[in-house]
Amino acid sequence: MSIMNKKRTRNEVRAEMLEKGQADNVKSTAFSRSRDQKQCPFGEYGTCCKLCALGPCRINPGKSDSMLGICGADADTIAARNFARMIAAGTAAHSDHGRQVTRMFLATARGELQGYEITDNRKLSMVAGLYGIQTDGKSKEKIAEEIGVKALAEFGQQDGELTFLKRAPKKRQELWRELEIAPRGIDREVVELMHRTGMGTDQDYHNLMLQASRCALADGWGGAMIATELQDILFNTPGDLGDTRQIVSGEVDLGVLKDDEVNIVMHGHEPLLSEVLVQASKDPKLQELAKSKGANGINLAGICCTANEVLVRHGIPVAGNYSQQEIAILTGAVDVMAVDVQCIMEGLMNVAQCYHTKVITTSSKAKLPNTIHIELSEGNPVETAKEIIRIAIENYSHRGKVNIPSEKTDAVVGFSHEFINYMMGGTYRQSYRPLNSNIIDGRILGVAGVVGCDRPYSRDLDVHSELVKELIANDVLVVQTGCSALSCAMEGLMVPEAAYEYAGPGLREVCEALGIPPVLHAGSCVDNSRILIALSEMVNIGRTQSGDIDHRVYLGDDISDLPVAGCCPDWVHEKAIAIGHYFVASGVGTFFGPSLQVTNAPGFREYLYSGIAESLGGKWGFGATAGEMAGLIIDHIKEKRSALGLEEQKERVLYDMEMRRKLEVR
Ligand code: NFS
Ligand code: SF4
């Protein structure tokens, strides 16, 4: 396996493809549109309010102290309401995904749905335990049905607490109760936040952010976590395949598309579609049909988070992340792009119309004009998948000029919480103890979760890999999800060899001993919930059964004590803000860039960047560049280390311009 199999930088490849697009009469792409769009400073800095018809009201940067909206709202209230609404929207997105998975899970358990089954028994009994379900003498389908009923009820629950909250460290749970922000039901928190951010309701941003926290927690420890866990039961926990445990490897980047095979690109978020496409593509009849049309086979590749889902479970190749979705079509080699929900650019249609590519929508929640709609059947999804594949096969012969860049990279992936546990301690001694003790002895400085989206800018340096390289050079172990993970995978950071090339000496030693990359791919964006569980586990092992501190592995009693940080260096979607805030409300210092839409609201901004830590332990931070974000993360981790009394042994390895230049993007 080589990490040096890229001849050109991603920027060079992209430029060539965009040129091809122009020659093929593609009117615009996100790259050209992002050059043409001039961002409105009021929106960019967080002080545009269009909540009611008296507005839109805009608070002028520089005059923000004196200016008010017509109702009297000031810059802080306006920015806080906008911010909180993003949290509500993001929570709604992850949670509606979770609801759909739960409905299909329940239908599977009841035998009403073909194509899925209850696969991961280990996780099934773990989740049953959390819901207090007695499993003795029951079939796995019966257990799953009881889980499905309870999980589905949590969306509409009015009182009480979400079940998975009890997976957090005790001290954190107590804090949530004390602040009255333990989420009661998933939908309720979204609705209440929408209500409170409307015109003329909650105008104290401290109070508003309490509900925003409750809502975000209903995402991370609710909707998103339900999505992750039930998907795992249906499709297997990444890296944890029943009796065998293994990480998988896969290839990423445009070079995974094939000249001589039918290419089907799966794009979106819910693995319900991609999983049945994977199954159906193996059907010998469809394989034969493809051959009869002159193709050598059927090639599936992913885009965005659905790509992450099938990559970490099956090693299915990935064509790209968010910003690469139109470029995949520009190759002229995509016979079908099948989409479900979220992060699907409307611009796809303009591009697809210039090629033979058929875009197929599959969810009633997300239709695009001028596309084929084939609803993912709630009765027989495999049949839907076969129909999609047949359309792709028929379309293969309609290709025009094809240009598939040869560039692709290997990635070793599938580091679920369960696999990390296993890889550290083996089958009989599964534990995070080695991780904690490596942190205590300083081999690993701390852990950073680097997650979220990527923006369609043309840059020489990729902000994700630039940031991550600096972190691992400073012995920070990096865990990734989402499009950011795909960026670093494309830059060759997810192979064990990357440790030799980029990691600091301590981290390198650990990676070498375990045979792992210094950057661990944990899955899609809903799988950030895996990181919450990993953090809880790092806390929980610090004390013995009887409650005594075990000094060999003790890193504090709450997530907010851990030398860890979160980062979303290139956020795009509101979902990223919801994720950021559930990390903050879980006690994690979380750093975003390269903008944050709170700049011109001084009171609210300072509250997010520091004041909020007094109650929640976690806080927001902002860095405009990879270097700034890396600095903030490393400083934050060091602060936590010194609060724990861990001796500092190392100075930060600073990446100066010279070193940055050497980090050229491959
Ligand atoms: Ni996350 Fe995944 Fe990508 Fe951002 Fe969109 S695909 S759910 S939102 S852009 S990481
Ligand atoms: Fe203007 Fe207030 Fe209406 Fe917002 S809610 S648009 S600040 S009047």
Side-chain angles (χ1 to χ4, degrees):
M1 189 178 289
S2 159
I3 58 172
M4 301 295 288
N5 55 358
K6 288 203 165 188
K7 295 179 217 77
R8 298 173 293 175
T9 68
R10 273 165 68 207
N11 212 13
E12 285 165 348
V13 174
R14 212 178 276 152
E16 185 192 275
M17 297 316 293
L18 293 173
E19 242 170 69
K20 176 179 188 297
Q22 263 180 344
D24 296 341
N25 292 321
V26 172
K27 280 195 219 76
S28 72
T29 62
F31 290 87
S32 65
R33 292 187 297 269
S34 71
R35 276 195 304 273
D36 299 343
Q37 276 287 345
K38 184 108 190 64
Q39 282 169 330
C40 164
F42 295 100
E44 191 183 354
Y45 302 142
T47 53
C48 171
C49 181
K50 55 180 185 60
L51 285 180
C52 84
L54 295 178
C57 296
R58 305 179 302 176
I59 305 291
N60 198 346
K63 290 191 195 158
S64 51
D65 289 347
S66 54
M67 278 191 75
L68 300 174
I70 293 174
C71 68
D74 66 10
D76 291 328
T77 304
I78 291 172
R81 289 193 298 214
N82 290 338
F83 198 78
R85 282 205 163 198
M86 288 196 279
I87 292 173
T91 302
H94 290 138
S95 299
D96 209 36
H97 165 172
R99 183 199 325 269
Q100 182 65 5
V101 169
T102 310
R103 286 171 55 84
M104 301 290 251
F105 178 89
L106 193 52
T108 304
R110 289 176 171 158
E112 296 161 4
L113 198 58
Q114 290 171 33
Y116 311 125
E117 52 186 318
I118 306 303
T119 307
D120 188 335
N121 290 319
R122 202 180 344 232
K123 183 150 278 192
L124 181 77
S125 37
M126 189 276 290
V127 174
L130 289 168
Y131 277 114
I133 293 166
Q134 200 20 273
T135 56
D136 289 351
K138 288 181 190 161
S139 69
K140 60 181 184 177
E141 286 75 20
K142 178 78 186 102
I143 300 167
E145 184 182 3
E146 290 181 30
I147 291 174
V149 168
K150 292 206 178 212
L152 201 55
E154 293 202 279
F155 291 88
Q157 187 172 295
Q158 298 303 315
D159 297 299
E161 272 179 21
L162 297 181
T163 304
F164 290 162
L165 296 186
K166 61 179 175 225
R167 305 174 83 179
K170 283 237 153 44
K171 202 169 162 196
R172 182 62 27 188
Q173 295 180 42
E174 282 158 16
L175 178 72
W176 289 335
R177 284 177 201 125
E178 193 187 306
L179 295 170
E180 295 183 13
I181 57 169
R184 300 154 293 189
I186 297 164
D187 296 353
R188 179 171 182 188
E189 307 313 350
V190 176
V191 170
E192 186 172 319
L193 189 53
M194 288 305 287
H195 172 198
R196 284 167 63 167
T197 47
M199 193 267 262
T201 306
D202 201 346
Q203 291 153 62
D204 170 355
Y205 61 79
H206 303 92
N207 197 46
L208 187 57
M209 287 313 287
L210 286 174
Q211 178 57 21
S213 298
R214 182 152 52 179
C215 181
L217 291 170
D219 180 357
W221 298 86
M225 197 175 279
I226 289 175
T228 295
E229 300 297 36
L230 301 195
Q231 283 167 189
D232 279 354
I233 297 175
L234 289 176
F235 310 127
N236 256 330
T237 303
D240 188 19
L241 312 173
D243 293 336
T244 57
R245 289 190 183 80
Q246 59 184 61
I247 29 178
V248 293
S249 67
E251 292 177 329
V252 285
D253 218 343
L254 295 168
V256 306
L257 296 174
K258 302 224 166 101
D259 246 331
D260 57 350
E261 293 189 19
V262 176
N263 290 312
I264 300 169
V265 173
M266 311 175 283
H267 174 15
H269 283 77
E270 299 168 352
L272 298 164
L273 169 67
S274 45
E275 284 285 340
V276 282
L277 278 168
V278 173
Q279 264 184 54
S281 67
K282 294 178 187 145
D283 181 341
K285 281 201 197 115
L286 289 174
Q287 292 282 352
E288 245 167 64
L289 182 65
K291 295 229 162 77
S292 75
K293 303 284 172 185
N296 278 337
I298 301 164
N299 181 40
L300 296 179
I303 293 266
C304 282
C305 275
T306 218
N308 284 317
E309 298 277 2
V310 284
L311 172 71
V312 296
R313 291 200 177 87
H314 309 289
I316 299 285
V318 174
N321 47 6
Y322 177 74
S323 67
Q324 210 148 291
Q325 54 186 286
E326 291 167 314
I327 295 188
I329 298 181
L330 293 178
T331 60
V334 177
D335 302 305
V336 155
M337 185 177 274
V339 306
D340 54 28
V341 290
Q342 300 174 16
C343 300
I344 298 145
M345 286 187 191
E346 192 169 333
L348 278 183
M349 289 321 306
N350 298 325
V351 181
Q353 272 160 10
C354 299
Y355 297 90
H356 78 302
T357 305
K358 289 196 189 318
V359 176
I360 301 179
T361 56
T362 60
S363 165
S364 59
K365 294 173 195 165
K367 294 192 179 178
L368 270 77
N370 307 319
T371 49
I372 305 169
H373 183 76
I374 304 175
E375 190 104 4
L376 184 71
S377 155
E378 292 209 1
N380 196 340
V382 181
E383 268 318 305
T384 313
K386 285 185 182 166
E387 200 181 335
I388 291 171
I389 295 173
R390 261 181 241 120
I391 293 174
I393 295 172
E394 294 298 336
N395 203 24
Y396 174 74
S397 60
H398 300 141
R399 285 187 192 175
K401 208 170 134 253
V402 169
N403 177 4
I404 303 172
S406 61
E407 280 78 6
K408 57 182 175 183
T409 312
D410 294 317
V412 174
V413 300
F415 294 90
S416 59
H417 146 70
E418 288 80 358
F419 187 81
I420 295 175
N421 213 356
Y422 160 76
M423 105 196 160
M424 295 272 176
T427 307
Y428 300 107
R429 298 180 54 218
Q430 294 193 25
S431 164
Y432 275 66
R433 293 180 70 88
L435 174 63
N436 283 25
S437 72
N438 276 314
I439 291 175
I440 288 169
D441 68 23
R443 254 185 226 107
I444 294 177
L445 188 73
V447 182
V450 181
V451 308
C453 328
D454 71 301
R455 300 186 184 197
Y457 297 143
S458 308
R459 309 175 265 226
D460 289 330
L461 284 177
D462 170 78
V463 67
H464 305 268
S465 54
E466 194 190 349
L467 166 78
V468 166
K469 281 174 187 169
E470 185 160 350
L471 293 176
I472 59 181
N474 282 281
D475 292 321
V476 175
L477 176 68
V478 173
V479 181
Q480 289 211 276
T481 61
C483 291
S484 182
L486 294 177
S487 243
C488 289
M490 287 189 270
E491 298 296 336
L493 294 179
M494 290 186 179
V495 286
E497 294 88 325
Y500 299 101
E501 207 166 332
Y502 304 111
L507 178 61
R508 183 161 57 222
E509 204 183 314
V510 175
C511 291
E512 231 178 316
L514 297 171
I516 56 164
V519 183
L520 306 180
H521 192 322
S524 66
C525 287
V526 291
D527 292 342
N528 284 314
S529 60
R530 300 188 196 282
I531 300 178
L532 295 176
I533 300 301
L535 297 176
S536 303
E537 192 62 20
M538 286 170 71
V539 172
N540 291 340
I541 57 167
R543 284 186 185 267
T544 62
Q545 292 280 342
S546 53
D548 298 328
I549 288 181
D550 181 345
H551 288 283
R552 290 165 303 176
V553 288
Y554 179 73
L555 289 173
D557 286 321
D558 194 353
I559 293 174
S560 53
D561 298 328
L562 296 171
V564 301
C567 182
C568 181
D570 215 17
W571 77 280
V572 176
H573 202 290
E574 296 160 317
K575 290 179 280 177
I577 298 293
I579 292 168
H581 200 65
Y582 71 61
F583 273 100
V584 170
S586 300
V588 182
T590 303
F591 304 91
F592 270 48
S595 63
L596 200 54
Q597 302 183 353
V598 296
T599 319
N600 271 325
F604 179 57
R605 186 187 64 213
E606 284 321 297
Y607 179 63
L608 287 185
Y609 295 176
S610 69
I612 203 166
E614 283 164 31
S615 54
L616 292 176
K619 62 174 182 187
W620 283 84
F622 165 71
T625 62
E628 260 179 60
M629 283 180 265
L632 288 165
I633 291 169
I634 292 164
D635 289 348
H636 181 76
I637 288 176
K638 286 188 170 171
E639 252 171 56
K640 295 292 173 187
R641 289 184 67 90
S642 75
L644 286 165
L646 302 176
E647 282 300 312
E648 286 317 327
Q649 294 149 334
K650 293 168 236 130
E651 288 297 299
R652 173 180 171 201
V653 180
L654 263 174
Y655 267 68
D656 56 19
M657 275 325 285
E658 189 49 34
M659 292 170 86
R660 273 183 211 289
R661 245 170 256 130
K662 282 194 209 138
L663 294 179
E664 93 287 23
V665 184
R666 271 192 298 276

